[in-house]
Amino acid sequence: MNYSIRKAKKSDEKRICDLFIEMLKTIYNTEDVKGYEDGDLNHYFEDNENVIFVAEKDSEVIGFLSVEVHRDEHEYIYLDDFSVSEKYRGNGIGNALLKEAEEYGKSVNVSASLLHVEKTNERAFKFYKRNGYDVFEEQDNRLLLIKEFK
C-alpha cells in the first residue's frame, strides 16, 4: 500500500478530529463519545516542539499520532492520541507513525517515549510491546508505558 508520513497542517484538523472519534468508538465500544473541544489541537500547530504526524494516502489523512515534547525533570516525548482508520489497519501504518514519532523524539534529544494505553485495549498493548514498550506504571484503568532511547 502506498502512503506517506508527514507533519500535520492546520488544514488537517477536521480529519484528525474524525479519526479521534473513530478511535474512541473502537476503544470504548460505544457511539457515545466526545471528541476534541475547539482549540484542543492548537498547541500542535503553534511554533513549538509539539507535532502531529499524519499518514496520507491519495491526499486523504488515514492516520495520525500526536507527539508532545516534555522538558521537565526528565525529557521525553509523550504520545498522546493515535489512530489509524479501521479501513487501513494491518498495513504497517501504525508502525510507520510510531517510528516517525520516535525518530522525532531522538532528533529533539529526549531520552524516552511515554504513552498511556487502556488496560482493556489488549490489541494496542500487544502492539506497543512488540515495538519495545514496557509497563512503567499502572494507573486505574490505564497503563503508562515507556520506551527508552539508546
Side-chain angles (χ1 to χ4, degrees), residues 5-66:
I5 306 290
R6 63 171 172 79
K7 286 185 182 179
K9 301 175 284 201
K10 182 75 171 161
S11 59
D12 297 318
E13 188 170 19
K14 168 77 170 84
R15 182 65 182 135
I16 290 167
C17 290
D18 292 345
L19 285 167
F20 180 66
I21 292 288
E22 184 179 330
M23 174 195 71
L24 293 175
K25 287 178 180 179
T26 300
I27 291 172
Y28 298 113
N29 199 28
T30 181
E31 294 290 314
D32 186 28
V33 296
K34 286 188 158 198
Y36 295 118
E37 298 287 328
D38 281 345
D40 281 352
L41 297 179
N42 287 349
H43 69 106
Y44 293 105
F45 302 112
E46 295 168 354
D47 188 23
N48 61 43
E49 293 179 303
N50 299 331
V51 64
I52 297 175
F53 291 105
V54 294
E56 186 176 59
K57 176 179 174 34
D58 300 328
S59 301
E60 178 191 7
V61 172
I62 59 173
F64 80 96
L65 175 54
S66 55

Side-chain angles (χ1 to χ4, degrees), residues 63-90:
F64 80 96
L65 175 54
S66 55
V67 182
E68 296 175 353
V69 177
H70 290 263
R71 297 197 182 277
D72 309 315
E73 180 181 336
H74 301 286
E75 295 188 342
Y76 60 94
I77 56 171
Y78 180 75
L79 307 182
D80 194 10
D81 295 321
F82 190 1
S83 180
V84 173
S85 180
E86 187 172 10
K87 175 178 169 183
Y88 295 103
R89 291 180 192 155

